[in-house]
Amino acid sequence: MAKLPAATLQETLIQMLDYEQLTNCMRCGFCLPACPTFKETGVEAESPRGRISLMKAAVDGIMEPGISFEDQMNHCLGCRACEPACPADVKYGQLIEQARDAIETHTKQHRWWIRGVRKLVFKELFPSQQRMQLLGTGLHFYKKSGIQKVVRKTGVVNLFSKHLSDMEKILPDASGKGIVEQLGTYIPAKGEKIATVGMFRGCLMDVLFTETNIKTVKLLSEAGFDVVIPETQNCCGALHAHSGESDQAKALAKNNIRAFQEAGVDYIVSNAGGCGAILVEYDHLLHEEPEWKEASAWFAARVKDISTILVEQGRPLQFVETQTGEASTRITYQDSCHLRNVMKGSNPSRQLLKDVGNAAYIEMMDAGSCCGSAGIYNVTQPDMANQILEHKMENVNATGAQYLVTSNPGCLLQMKLGIDKHGQAGRMEAVHIADFLYDRVVKH
């Protein structure tokens, strides 16, 4: 039976929150040292245990959830580092998304223009690959036409917040032509075929990091995979799910499931940790819809990160040999939170990097801690994001690496920002792992 609309946030929380998960929390505190916001503030409410306590208090009627409750739920990065640390296996990521979904239904914080922007972004822009490509064309024109130089020279960029002006500095080279337009929808394996994989191209990935997508596909081909890129796929829905737009996230998930099932692939490959984390949980996202149970389970079971499938299924990559006496390239790796904590894929990336010839791999201290990107967190919560980034850069700088490698576009941009802020440009470069590997692999 369909649930009736609730009149208050408390009633909506009662309907949406998984009470069994709320009561599973033993309040042991193992999550505290894993939580970035708690580490920065030391405030109990800024921890997973604290936020779960607030949720339960609201559901139990002990407190009336108001603006401070909403703020605390939104302060969470959603990195899910607490989940591997939890001995009770509390599904915190599911709880925070349920809470945000309830808040979005009743929020009083959004002004009219914010509601307009949310509608434009979540309902009109991200679900449409054509509109995303128009965005890419616009950004490409902005950078290549000279407008960007004029904007910086005249100081127009400084009219925005300092954080947004800083982000503008590290804007990547966008493209209005995605991977399908440049490579087509089918790329055969080099040599003997191992399996057929479907490439999840993403929405922002396909316009801001088109070259990374292209190199991802070519790496898969080199490793023995036929690659299919379904044209009808769309945004993964991660930003929607994390921002309380669960209905839209479910609609996007259903379309992706149909697209890849029709393609008849053996695996579905993602090169963005944030996308992969929701793709691998489509079965949970659609768990209340029995008619999608089998299809969503089929999809979720086939999702693999690019590094994982290369290591576990692919033909070993051959890397270019280096000249005797050539100085080793120092590289370090920054984990994508969602790849590490949800997809459990941190080791394959490191293994591949260690296989690269003449490369000295330096393990960064606390490499698995969040960099502060967290989807659009660095835009909505810039102060906390910058605070987290500063501590991350202390560890980055200590490695003395020439290349800072990561596996997620948001992390990549955040690390580029950190390198720029710390005056490391020219001495250190942040790169996606697919780009780093492809540039050094022997092509057949």
Side-chain angles (χ1 to χ4, degrees), residues 317-388:
L317 296 172
Q318 294 180 318
F319 293 99
V320 177
E321 294 184 6
T322 55
Q323 299 294 325
T324 302
E326 184 179 343
S328 295
T329 300
R330 293 172 64 88
I331 56 176
T332 193
Y333 183 71
Q334 161 62 24
D335 284 286
S336 155
C337 291
H338 286 110
L339 176 57
R340 181 186 182 97
N341 300 323
V342 182
M343 299 185 76
K344 315 300 181 187
S346 60
N347 289 332
S349 300
R350 287 172 166 80
Q351 182 175 331
L352 287 168
L353 291 174
K354 291 175 182 178
D355 288 342
V356 175
N358 203 47
Y361 178 79
I362 313 297
E363 182 66 27
M364 185 198 313
M365 181 182 294
D366 209 11
S369 66
C370 188
C371 64
S373 172
I376 57 173
Y377 187 91
N378 57 355
V379 176
T380 61
Q381 305 285 343
D383 292 339
M384 180 60 75
N386 283 333
Q387 193 172 325
I388 292 170

Side-chain angles (χ1 to χ4, degrees), residues 17 34 48 58 79 129 148-149 157 181 187 189 253 255 263 269 274 317 373 382 401 415-416:
L17 284 171
C79 69
Q129 201 67 23
Q148 184 181 49
K149 292 181 180 178
V157 71
E181 289 75 20
I187 298 86
N255 190 68
V269 178
L317 296 172
S373 172
M415 300 321 300
K416 284 179 179 291

Side-chain angles (χ1 to χ4, degrees), residues 37 46 51 66-78 92 96 99-101 103-104 107 109-110 118 242-244 374 376-377 380-381 384:
T37 52
E46 292 275 11
R51 293 188 179 100
I67 296 299
S68 59
F69 175 87
E70 297 176 21
D71 284 342
Q72 202 50 258
M73 297 304 113
N74 289 328
H75 283 176
C76 174
L77 291 110
Y92 175 81
I96 196 68
R100 287 174 174 171
D101 200 15
I103 289 169
E104 189 56 34
T107 186
Q109 289 184 312
H110 293 334
R118 286 178 66 92
H242 302 332
S243 303
I376 57 173
Y377 187 91
T380 61
Q381 305 285 343
M384 180 60 75

Side-chain angles (χ1 to χ4, degrees), residues 425-436:
R427 294 191 292 271
M428 180 186 295
E429 181 182 356
V431 295
H432 191 284
I433 191 168
D435 296 318
F436 186 84

Side-chain angles (χ1 to χ4, degrees), residues 201-227:
R201 64 185 178 185
C203 48
L204 283 173
M205 277 299 297
D206 209 38
V207 297
L208 292 184
F209 301 96
T210 314
E211 193 64 26
T212 301
N213 270 357
I214 290 172
K215 290 180 178 179
T216 298
V217 168
K218 290 182 176 180
L219 273 175
L220 289 166
S221 176
E222 292 287 346
F225 298 104
D226 279 356
V227 184

Side-chain angles (χ1 to χ4, degrees), residues 133-432:
Q133 289 178 345
L134 285 175
L135 173 64
T137 299
L139 291 174
H140 179 79
F141 180 76
Y142 171 74
K143 289 197 73 172
K144 301 302 180 182
S145 66
I147 295 176
Q148 184 181 49
K149 292 181 180 178
V150 173
V151 167
R152 291 180 178 179
K153 189 174 182 180
T154 59
V156 172
V157 71
N158 296 323
L159 296 176
F160 301 97
S161 69
K162 185 178 186 306
H163 183 72
L164 288 179
S165 63
D166 287 341
M167 293 294 290
E168 190 271 346
K169 294 178 184 177
I170 47 90
L171 191 67
D173 293 328
S175 173
K177 292 183 178 180
I179 189 171
V180 169
E181 289 75 20
Q182 298 192 43
L183 292 184
T185 58
Y186 173 74
I187 298 86
K190 298 286 185 68
E192 184 178 353
K193 170 188 168 183
I194 293 173
T196 299
V197 301
M199 171 69 187
F200 187 80
R201 64 185 178 185
C203 48
L204 283 173
M205 277 299 297
D206 209 38
V207 297
L208 292 184
F209 301 96
T210 314
E211 193 64 26
T212 301
N213 270 357
I214 290 172
K215 290 180 178 179
T216 298
V217 168
K218 290 182 176 180
L219 273 175
L220 289 166
S221 176
E222 292 287 346
F225 298 104
D226 279 356
V227 184
V228 176
I229 310 170
E231 286 190 87
T232 55
Q233 64 177 291
N234 51 219
C235 172
C236 66
L239 290 178
H240 299 78
H242 302 332
S243 303
E245 301 282 349
S246 62
D247 288 343
Q248 185 68 31
K250 291 175 184 178
L252 293 169
K254 292 172 185 176
N255 190 68
N256 282 327
I257 292 170
R258 282 190 292 263
F260 283 91
Q261 276 195 323
E262 290 170 3
V265 298
D266 300 310
Y267 301 99
I268 299 158
V269 178
S270 167
N271 60 3
C275 294
I278 192 168
L279 297 176
V280 81
E281 291 190 339
Y282 270 2
D283 51 346
H284 170 73
L285 182 66
L286 299 172
H287 75 279
E288 293 184 336
E289 303 186 39
E291 65 274 22
W292 283 93
K293 181 178 180 180
E294 184 176 343
S296 62
W298 175 92
F299 186 98
R302 283 161 175 76
V303 176
K304 299 284 185 181
D305 176 69
I306 174 63
S307 294
T308 300
I309 197 165
L310 287 175
V311 169
E312 295 181 355
Q313 305 291 336
R315 191 163 46 243
L317 296 172
Q318 294 180 318
F319 293 99
V320 177
E321 294 184 6
T322 55
Q323 299 294 325
T324 302
E326 184 179 343
S328 295
T329 300
R330 293 172 64 88
I331 56 176
T332 193
Y333 183 71
Q334 161 62 24
D335 284 286
S336 155
C337 291
H338 286 110
L339 176 57
R340 181 186 182 97
N341 300 323
V342 182
M343 299 185 76
K344 315 300 181 187
S346 60
N347 289 332
S349 300
R350 287 172 166 80
Q351 182 175 331
L352 287 168
L353 291 174
K354 291 175 182 178
D355 288 342
V356 175
N358 203 47
Y361 178 79
I362 313 297
E363 182 66 27
M364 185 198 313
M365 181 182 294
D366 209 11
S369 66
C370 188
C371 64
S373 172
I376 57 173
Y377 187 91
N378 57 355
V379 176
T380 61
Q381 305 285 343
D383 292 339
M384 180 60 75
N386 283 333
Q387 193 172 325
I388 292 170
L389 177 60
E390 281 302 302
H391 288 145
K392 172 61 66 174
M393 287 306 299
E394 292 174 6
N395 295 331
V396 170
N397 294 336
T399 67
Q402 296 161 272
Y403 290 96
L404 172 55
V405 184
T406 189
S407 303
N408 187 58
C411 301
L412 182 58
L413 289 177
Q414 185 78 339
M415 300 321 300
K416 284 179 179 291
L417 178 62
I419 289 171
D420 182 75
K421 282 186 169 184
H422 281 247
Q424 293 279 32
R427 294 191 292 271
M428 180 186 295
E429 181 182 356
V431 295
H432 191 284

